[in-house]
Amino acid sequence: MAVVQRVFVTGKVQNTGFRDWAVRRAQECGVTGWVRNLKDGRIEMLIAGEDDAVTAMTEACRQGPPLARVDHLEANADSERVPKGFTKRFTA
């Protein structure tokens, strides 16, 4: 069953390659969506796909790339329409 989750990642996550890492990881997990920096220092993602793929992507984000330090991850169900592929977006 396809699900959509909005994920917010807090910690030392900007300027660590997190967004590029998320694009690569999303392709590996087989999910679609997008990732962007937020002005408050967090990362926001919209992740869509089969339940197990979304769970795998979300769990990977709890660790993040090597230079990141994830202090908190919040994931909530969402209903936003998700584009094909997984892309980086501009800071919001």
Side-chain angles (χ1 to χ4, degrees):
M1 181 172 153
V3 296
V4 179
Q5 264 190 352
R6 185 171 304 269
V7 175
F8 294 95
V9 185
T10 306
K12 183 182 180 289
V13 293
Q14 292 190 12
N15 299 313
T16 64
F18 203 106
R19 291 180 302 154
D20 289 328
W21 172 87
V23 170
R24 289 190 306 274
R25 180 61 76 162
Q27 292 168 345
E28 292 169 8
C29 291
V31 296
T32 60
W34 50 261
V35 58
R36 67 181 171 194
N37 289 334
L38 295 177
K39 290 179 182 172
D40 65 7
R42 296 179 298 162
I43 296 278
E44 178 184 16
M45 284 178 277
L46 193 68
I47 304 168
E50 294 301 315
D51 188 39
D52 59 340
V54 171
T55 298
M57 178 68 182
T58 303
E59 288 305 309
C61 290
R62 292 185 189 283
Q63 178 71 36
L67 295 176
R69 186 195 74 243
V70 176
D71 295 334
H72 181 73
L73 183 141
E74 177 185 337
N76 299 299
D78 202 284
S79 60
E80 182 176 321
R81 187 160 183 237
V82 180
K84 292 181 180 181
F86 196 92
T87 60
K88 289 189 335 185
R89 289 197 170 176
F90 293 109
T91 300

